[in-house]
Amino acid sequence: MIRVLLVDDQRLLRSGFRALLDLEDDIEVVGEAGDGLEGVALARQHLPDIALIDIQMPVVDGIEATRRIAADPALAGVHVVILTNYGFDEYVFEALRAGAAGFLVKDIVPEDFLHAVRVAARGDALLAPSITRKLIDRYVNQPLHTGSGSGTGLEELTNREREAVALVAQGLSNEQIADRMVISPLTAKTHVNRAMAKLHARDRAQLVILAYESGLVTPRGH
């Protein structure tokens, strides 16, 4: 059973999401909150698999709520998915840096919404290649940290793990990584999971950011 926490200051929106989720046999809504402070408290109380968190809320906003959840070892199993009205923007970027596993636009169609909840529950980041490209574009306009990955933990990775991280940063799935590296999907997943453990990354979204911040991968044209 996938346990979901809804955190949004719009009660009508929460009700709509809850009605949709309650129809699914494998999903349970364990709580609702109208602001980030209450949302973090309910996350600690219920330990959901997924916390769907609005990015702009009173009291404590979605970015700070995400940061608090990501910083709490007791909530390591909670995958935060940011809800936004506007698509990818500066706020979403900061939420991903804070520890979010991905984001959804609020006008998403129901089938895609339910699929996204299940994807996030598996621990996969909601970062389609198009979103990864936007992350890369964000870095093209920023000075990159140079180099070898010293101090980031990348020096702890094997060559194959570094290769897998670089491919994750290009937006590839485990199956696509397996094809590129000529290994099985299970081995590809193992490389990615070991890299996440060594780098203390919560998910693939964090791997993407680490890969560019460390200089392991450089945006094209930079």
Side-chain angles (χ1 to χ4, degrees):
M1 184 69 72
I2 300 171
R3 295 161 51 80
V4 177
L5 171 66
L6 298 172
V7 186
D8 195 301
D9 61 333
Q10 299 179 47
R11 184 176 298 178
L12 184 61
L13 190 76
R14 293 202 314 268
S15 297
F17 280 146
R18 179 162 201 148
L20 188 61
L21 294 168
D22 281 344
L23 292 174
E24 302 302 304
D25 294 336
D26 61 333
I27 299 174
E28 175 189 9
V29 177
V30 297
E32 295 183 34
D35 63 71
L37 185 63
E38 183 185 7
V40 173
L42 288 179
R44 291 176 176 142
Q45 178 182 344
H46 295 292
L47 299 177
D49 300 299
I50 305 295
L52 294 169
I53 299 182
D54 184 24
I55 205 161
Q56 294 180 315
M57 291 182 295
V59 188
V60 170
D61 66 19
I63 296 173
E64 180 59 26
T66 299
R67 189 174 291 114
R68 294 182 187 184
I69 289 172
D72 189 339
L75 301 180
V78 179
H79 304 289
V80 174
V81 176
I82 290 292
L83 298 170
T84 176
N85 288 317
Y86 308 110
F88 190 88
D89 58 20
E90 186 70 20
Y91 293 110
V92 171
F93 176 80
E94 291 302 324
L96 291 172
R97 286 183 63 94
F103 79 97
L104 297 174
V105 179
K106 290 183 180 181
D107 63 359
I108 188 172
V109 300
E111 294 80 7
D112 290 345
F113 172 70
L114 294 171
H115 174 71
V117 168
R118 293 184 173 102
V119 167
R122 294 200 304 263
D124 294 333
L126 294 173
L127 284 180
S130 60
I131 304 308
T132 303
R133 283 194 295 273
K134 290 179 180 178
L135 272 176
I136 293 168
D137 290 342
R138 169 67 167 76
Y139 273 101
V140 168
N141 298 318
Q142 292 273 333
L144 287 175
H145 298 290
T146 55
S148 62
S150 177
T152 64
L154 288 176
E155 65 274 9
E156 301 296 326
L157 303 184
T158 67
N159 289 336
R160 297 296 266 173
E161 288 165 355
R162 288 168 70 94
E163 185 179 354
V165 170
L167 294 172
V168 168
Q170 294 177 29
L172 273 62
S173 67
N174 286 341
E175 289 74 17
Q176 292 168 324
I177 291 171
D179 289 342
R180 188 75 65 85
M181 296 178 65
V182 196
I183 55 178
S184 71
L186 180 59
T187 301
K189 182 177 181 180
T190 298
H191 286 323
V192 172
N193 287 345
R194 285 178 178 168
M196 286 197 299
K198 290 178 180 179
L199 297 174
H200 307 290
R202 287 171 63 92
D203 51 42
R204 297 168 84 95
Q206 297 296 294
L207 276 187
V208 172
I209 290 171
L210 282 168
Y212 285 97
E213 284 188 330
S214 66
L216 175 64
V217 178
T218 348
R220 292 178 184 174
H222 190 290

